[in-house]
Amino acid sequence: MLILGIESASLTASVALLQDGKQLAEYTIDYKKTHSQTLLPMIDEICGMTGTIPAQIDAIAISAGPGSFTGLRIGSATAKGLGLALKKPLISVPTVGAMAYQCYGSRYLICPIMDARRSQVYTGLYEFAEDGTFVTIMDQTPMAIEELLEKVNEMGRTVLFLGDGVPPYAERIRELATVEVQFAPSFMARQRAGAVAALGQVYYEAGRYESAADHRPEYLRQSGAERMKDRQ
């Protein structure tokens, strides 16, 4: 099975090809480019470098949110367009869950945090069972960092934090944490399409996929424009 993974939920743009559990290619960039400029050329590049014809792709795993409204819309439009053109299913993969999946085999409580602005983060809590099963302890949600630290302190376990929410909130985490805290190194701290594709394969095998026409991003909260409209 050949899966194309697409990640565009934050400033990072990333695409990957996964064949029968083996990552064939991954192209990730986080440097002064918009996703509308990068995603399609990156997909074309990894297909060309691996000799992959788009029609050979069996499914498209898309990081479905939460994250940047613009980034999610661009990623969703790209995945939907390819899915409709190729007549392939889409696999909606939770952005925060895919980030945690990068830490496969960790013995720690895994806590990705994405900066959601307005003093909040997008977060969730995950772990890997002894048999390697990926377990969701708390599903992804927007939350104040203080509320999140209350929850992890109650669990009494070492916590591994990762994501673009770490730099702005690291000091606050250290101040509030009563448990041991670890921060993931930079090479595994941001979103990656390889993890989206790998978790997407798990979802696909469990029957969790949809048609391209049915796919919708998961924003988790209203955009700024929608909030302003509600106030009027």
Side-chain angles (χ1 to χ4, degrees):
M1 180 177 190
L2 184 62
I3 296 177
L4 170 67
I6 299 175
E7 168 59 68
S8 66
S10 68
L11 293 176
T12 302
S14 183
V15 297
L17 284 172
L18 185 82
Q19 186 169 46
D20 299 327
K22 175 186 177 182
Q23 184 171 293
L24 300 181
E26 184 180 61
Y27 189 165
T28 300
I29 188 167
D30 185 2
Y31 186 74
K32 299 179 181 179
K33 296 284 186 181
T34 65
H35 298 322
S36 58
Q37 294 175 296
T38 56
L39 287 181
L40 286 175
M42 291 164 67
I43 293 169
D44 185 62
E45 180 74 13
I46 63 170
C47 285
M49 291 293 288
T50 59
T52 299
I53 300 169
Q56 295 175 312
I57 294 168
D58 295 301
I60 301 166
I62 174 68
S63 176
S68 157
F69 288 88
T70 301
L72 290 174
R73 288 187 183 108
I74 293 171
S76 175
T78 301
K80 284 169 72 76
L82 289 170
L84 289 168
L86 300 172
K87 296 181 173 59
K88 303 297 182 180
L90 266 59
I91 311 165
S92 291
V93 178
T95 301
V96 176
M99 293 173 68
Y101 200 67
Q102 295 173 189
C103 304
Y104 185 87
S106 174
R107 67 184 185 278
Y108 301 138
L109 182 66
I110 304 168
C111 184
I113 53 174
M114 298 173 63
D115 190 1
R117 312 293 183 184
R118 298 189 294 129
S119 301
Q120 286 195 327
V121 293
Y122 294 123
T123 188
L125 294 173
Y126 306 86
E127 67 178 357
F128 286 94
E130 290 186 6
D131 64 358
T133 302
F134 185 54
V135 180
T136 300
I137 297 172
M138 180 182 77
D139 206 356
Q140 56 184 24
T141 184
M143 181 179 292
I145 196 70
E146 292 80 9
E147 184 182 356
L148 173 61
L149 265 295
E150 286 181 12
K151 287 185 176 294
V152 298
N153 286 338
E154 288 172 1
M155 301 189 74
R157 297 174 54 188
T158 300
V159 185
L160 176 65
F161 286 95
L162 67 153
D164 65 13
V166 169
Y169 290 107
E171 288 306 314
R172 188 65 174 149
I173 290 169
R174 292 189 184 98
E175 289 173 6
L176 296 174
T178 59
V179 294
E180 182 182 354
V181 169
Q182 299 284 339
F183 296 107
S186 61
F187 68 86
M188 62 184 294
R190 298 299 177 92
Q191 294 86 349
R192 290 179 52 198
V196 173
L199 187 54
Q201 179 168 314
V202 174
Y203 280 22
Y204 186 91
E205 291 170 353
R208 297 174 61 178
Y209 54 88
E210 61 194 346
S211 70
D214 289 338
H215 171 72
R216 297 290 184 276
E218 187 175 359
Y219 297 116
L220 291 189
R221 71 182 194 188
Q222 291 180 311
S223 67
E226 289 171 327
R227 290 194 301 272
M228 289 181 64
K229 182 179 178 181
D230 287 346
R231 295 192 194 106
Q232 295 175 354

